[in-house]
Amino acid sequence: MSAAMPSYSELRKTNHFYYFIKFTLNVYSMLFSLMGLCVLCVGVYAEVERQKNRTLEGLFLAPAVVLILLGLVMFTVSMVGMVGSLRDNKTLLHMFLCVLCVLLLLQAIGLTMALIFENKTSALFQSSIREGIKHYYDDLDFKNILDYMQQKFSCCGGDEYKDWGVNQYHFCNGTGPLACGVPYTCCVRHKVGEVVNTLCGYKTLDNQRETLHEVIYVRGCIHAVNLWMSDNIGITAALCCAIGLPQLLGILLSCVFWNLLVDMSESTDMVDFKLKKAEVEYSELDLAGAGWCLCLPRDGGYLPVPAAEPDLDPIDVHLQRLKKQAPRTHSQLRELQQSRSTTGLDEVDVGRKQKREH
């Protein structure tokens, strides 16, 4: 007959559970710190390239700035969790847990506010995209992003195709070949792999929408992306889970490990956390078995446990106390004799009585 499955309270007291939670959290934090470092490096490289022709200042218009901030947050927070789990530091783990909770809460609040105030959110993105269209040919990062969106989602501009009228090369009062037109990425592709006519959007801004359906995409990219998300609700939910679930996993692991360390530090049979109370110098400890990180537990702990005192007879205890006491004066002896006459017991009798009661 198979043995009964151990309960969670019994399982969390084992060394295997401690090792599993500790190193799972450590690997989790290390992976995210490496990811944050990669994102940070890409952002720094993109920002250096952007500084050569810097024209855009908005947050939505500078992907390099977003990558740098994201990489810094990921790397810093993950390093705190990695060091805290490696060194069993409750303060760092508590900080890591709180920061993850705050970040996840802010994301949930931001998503909720964006859904509730959908019109204001669309207006914010529209104004940002229109500002980027003004400098379309000056900022390659924004140009590549907008070109990809227009081709991927079959759209043109932010709110509609006429947003291109704010660009100095495309507004209808211009005299160049692009005047009153849109970029070729807004043009409808009738065949896959056909040669692109870069002037396919010529003189389209002064025409009505009904006459342009076969020439360019008239729907704005904001509406096109919203429509794509509504039509692909499964992919949208998967993207949200891909962002939120790893953070929930980090919160769960750090919470379990932090509570485990708190219980270990308050336990009477664990001496690893009693260094200050035992008044033992760190250099005096025998750290054999602690590993290179000085973080591995050992049965019995690393602090010397004092041997239990023998169960002495009350008379021997009384004699040891008398040896340690200073000589008594006549007045003290007189007071002691009076107290004995009052209680009828001397100190030895009191000790024997206490031992019998125990």
Side-chain angles (χ1 to χ4, degrees):
M1 189 173 181
S2 60
M5 193 73 176
S7 62
Y8 174 74
S9 58
E10 297 176 348
L11 184 64
R12 71 193 304 269
K13 294 179 181 180
T14 62
N15 280 341
H16 295 291
F17 182 82
Y18 168 84
Y19 283 127
F20 175 77
I21 298 297
K22 177 188 181 72
F23 290 108
T24 302
L25 180 58
N26 188 256
V27 171
Y28 168 89
S29 303
M30 182 177 62
L31 289 177
F32 272 86
S33 63
L34 293 176
M35 290 174 57
L37 186 61
C38 293
V39 172
L40 179 60
C41 292
V42 173
V44 170
Y45 173 77
E47 178 64 16
V48 170
E49 293 296 319
R50 191 176 74 94
Q51 289 292 336
K52 296 179 181 179
N53 296 297
R54 185 172 184 178
T55 55
L56 306 183
E57 301 294 338
L59 182 61
F60 293 108
L61 308 178
V65 177
V66 178
L67 291 177
I68 290 175
L69 293 177
L70 179 62
L72 278 175
V73 171
M74 289 180 62
F75 180 75
T76 304
V77 175
S78 300
M79 281 297 296
V80 171
M82 184 171 65
V83 175
S85 61
L86 191 64
R87 303 292 302 192
D88 291 353
N89 191 303
K90 293 186 293 183
T91 303
L92 291 180
L93 283 173
H94 192 256
M95 185 186 306
F96 178 67
L97 174 61
C98 292
V99 171
L100 282 183
C101 291
V102 170
L103 290 177
L104 187 61
L105 181 62
L106 289 177
Q107 295 171 50
I109 292 175
L111 179 61
T112 304
M113 297 295 288
L115 294 176
I116 294 176
F117 303 100
E118 183 178 359
N119 294 333
K120 291 186 177 181
T121 304
S122 298
L124 176 62
F125 278 102
Q126 180 183 349
S127 62
S128 300
I129 292 176
R130 286 175 66 89
E131 183 65 24
I133 289 176
K134 290 181 181 180
H135 308 281
Y136 174 76
Y137 293 102
D138 301 324
D139 192 287
L140 292 179
D141 288 340
F142 180 81
K143 181 180 183 299
N144 293 332
I145 292 174
L146 187 57
D147 285 344
Y148 173 79
M149 290 183 62
Q150 291 182 150
Q151 292 178 321
K152 174 68 177 179
F153 297 101
S154 302
C155 57
C156 187
D159 186 53
E160 61 172 354
Y161 70 101
K162 289 189 177 182
D163 288 343
W164 282 101
V166 300
N167 185 276
Q168 60 179 338
Y169 299 102
H170 291 278
F171 63 79
C172 293
N173 293 331
T175 57
L178 300 177
C180 214
V182 295
Y184 71 92
T185 53
C186 289
C187 296
V188 176
R189 301 279 183 91
H190 298 283
K191 296 180 181 179
V192 179
E194 66 177 344
V195 179
V196 178
N197 179 13
T198 57
L199 295 177
C200 57
Y202 180 69
K203 294 296 182 180
T204 52
L205 291 181
D206 55 356
N207 294 331
Q208 296 299 320
R209 298 170 63 98
E210 293 79 8
T211 62
L212 298 174
H213 287 289
E214 297 296 327
V215 182
I216 64 171
Y217 303 114
V218 295
R219 181 190 292 119
C221 289
I222 295 176
H223 306 292
V225 171
N226 288 335
L227 182 62
W228 181 88
M229 294 175 66
S230 301
D231 293 339
N232 299 273
I233 191 66
I235 299 177
T236 304
L239 290 175
C240 294
C241 291
I243 296 174
L245 288 181
Q247 299 178 67
L248 283 175
L249 177 62
I251 292 174
L252 178 63
L253 289 174
S254 57
C255 183
V256 171
F257 192 53
W258 181 75
N259 282 291
L260 182 62
L261 292 181
V262 170
D263 292 343
M264 291 171 63
S265 64
E266 295 176 352
S267 177
T268 56
D269 59 348
M270 296 295 295
V271 297
D272 295 49
F273 295 89
K274 312 298 184 181
L275 188 60
K276 294 182 179 179
K277 294 182 180 180
E279 298 181 353
V280 177
E281 295 294 333
Y282 186 81
S283 58
E284 299 176 0
L285 297 179
D286 177 18
L287 299 178
W292 64 269
C293 61
L294 301 181
C295 58
L296 302 181
R298 184 176 68 182
D299 292 336
Y302 292 98
L303 296 183
V305 180
E309 295 183 358
D311 190 11
L312 300 177
D313 187 84
I315 297 178
D316 297 330
V317 175
H318 178 63
L319 292 176
Q320 291 181 1
R321 291 178 180 175
L322 289 178
K323 292 179 181 179
K324 297 179 181 179
Q325 291 179 356
R328 298 179 179 178
T329 61
H330 291 287
S331 59
Q332 291 176 341
L333 291 173
R334 190 179 302 108
E335 292 176 359
L336 179 61
Q337 185 177 6
Q338 291 176 357
S339 64
R340 288 176 179 175
S341 60
T342 303
T343 58
L345 296 172
D346 57 12
E347 296 181 12
V348 177
D349 295 332
V350 172
R352 288 175 174 172
K353 181 180 179 181
Q354 292 177 349
K355 184 176 180 182
R356 286 196 299 270
E357 291 176 354
H358 287 296

